Amino acid sequence: EIVLTQSPATLSLSPGERATLSCRASQSVSNYLGWYQKKPGQAPRLLIYGASSRATGIPARFSGSGSGTDFTLTISSLEPEDFAVYYCQQGSNWPLSFGGGTKVEIK
Amino acid sequence: EVQLVESGGGLVQAGGSLRLSCAASGLTFSNSWMSWVRQAPGKGLEWVATINPDGNAKYYVDSVKGRFTISRDNAKTSLYLQMTSLRGEDTAVYFCARYNRVFDYWGQGTLVPVSS
């Protein structure tokens, strides 16, 4: 079973600042890694697939990088609507798994 | 436009059963791997189950094996989750999603509270 560890648990930033979120896998997932944004009462929204490809309609301020076991989601300049919880997810092995999430909150 | 619409949620007693449905449109359902993902109150996302396009391969998280069954009807473009022996820890919003190594399309979810 692959465990995904996200850090930090909470990121307190101001609009316009850069956010850097980390996801570490307990074993290699190659590039089968996705990132999601989740807001209360809403469905999760796919941001990044294949570790670094933006999903349809996702703004260019969101970018993903990494392969193997270490991955990063970067939001280059936070907009007010970006304050949410972010999850990584691996699609390499069964059982599928999500990280515990990083909450990006307004400082 | 892809639409996934869940139904069937509602309050159920511990030990009881419930069947969730997900009606799909706007995608080639018969070629799509489909999944259920849940989120317990105040918790993170948890993958529950996935089924392949033919319905002959099914995968489950350990905590639901033997209690939940995922199935599909390609003619009705619908996905199902039969849940039995429900426990308090199954209380969650259940989302239907298309699986393509990632979950690219999601429904809005249906709430399943389990009372003990």
Side-chain angles (χ1 to χ4, degrees):
Chain A
E1 177 181 345
I2 296 176
V3 176
L4 299 179
T5 302
Q6 291 189 241
S7 62
T10 304
L11 203 48
S12 298
L13 295 168
S14 300
E17 289 194 296
R18 182 183 188 90
T20 303
L21 288 66
S22 173
C23 176
R24 177 163 289 177
S26 58
Q27 64 188 78
S28 177
V29 300
S30 184
N31 69 333
Y32 296 116
L33 195 286
W35 289 94
Y36 303 84
Q37 179 190 70
K38 180 70 170 71
K39 296 179 180 179
Q42 296 185 16
R45 177 191 183 194
L46 176 66
L47 301 173
I48 301 289
Y49 65 94
S52 59
S53 297
R54 270 190 303 278
T56 303
I58 301 304
R61 65 180 181 272
F62 291 93
S63 63
S65 63
S67 66
T69 60
D70 289 297
F71 301 88
T72 300
L73 174 70
T74 301
I75 311 172
S76 59
S77 178
L78 283 164
E79 297 288 339
E81 62 267 28
D82 298 336
F83 291 92
V85 181
Y86 293 83
Y87 295 93
C88 57
Q89 170 258 322
Q90 65 84 14
S92 175
N93 286 19
W94 304 101
L96 306 180
S97 49
F98 287 90
T102 290
K103 181 179 182 180
V104 178
E105 65 176 23
I106 299 176
K107 186 174 182 180
Chain B
E1 179 194 7
V2 174
Q3 284 201 311
L4 300 173
V5 180
E6 302 93 339
S7 61
L11 182 63
V12 60
Q13 287 193 326
S17 300
L18 206 60
R19 188 197 197 203
L20 305 184
S21 299
C22 171
S25 61
L27 75 167
T28 309
F29 185 80
S30 60
N31 288 346
S32 298
W33 288 65
M34 298 298 297
S35 296
W36 291 96
V37 176
R38 67 185 178 183
Q39 185 174 35
K43 303 294 185 182
L45 298 173
E46 180 182 37
W47 168 73
V48 175
T50 296
I51 187 169
N52 74 338
D54 290 337
N56 57 14
K58 303 176 184 182
Y59 304 87
Y60 299 93
V61 66
D62 280 352
S63 60
V64 309
K65 281 180 184 175
R67 301 188 300 122
F68 290 12
T69 302
I70 189 171
S71 63
R72 65 191 295 156
D73 185 333
N74 287 343
K76 294 182 177 179
T77 65
S78 292
L79 177 72
Y80 307 101
L81 186 68
Q82 178 68 48
M83 305 186 293
T84 64
S85 302
L86 282 160
R87 308 167 179 165
E89 55 264 37
D90 295 318
T91 293
V93 174
Y94 286 74
F95 297 97
C96 162
R98 187 176 79 164
Y99 176 63
N100 191 13
R101 294 285 192 171
V102 292
F103 303 103
D104 52 5
Y105 296 106
W106 296 74
Q108 285 302 304
T110 187
L111 177 63
V112 177
V114 180
S115 66
S116 49

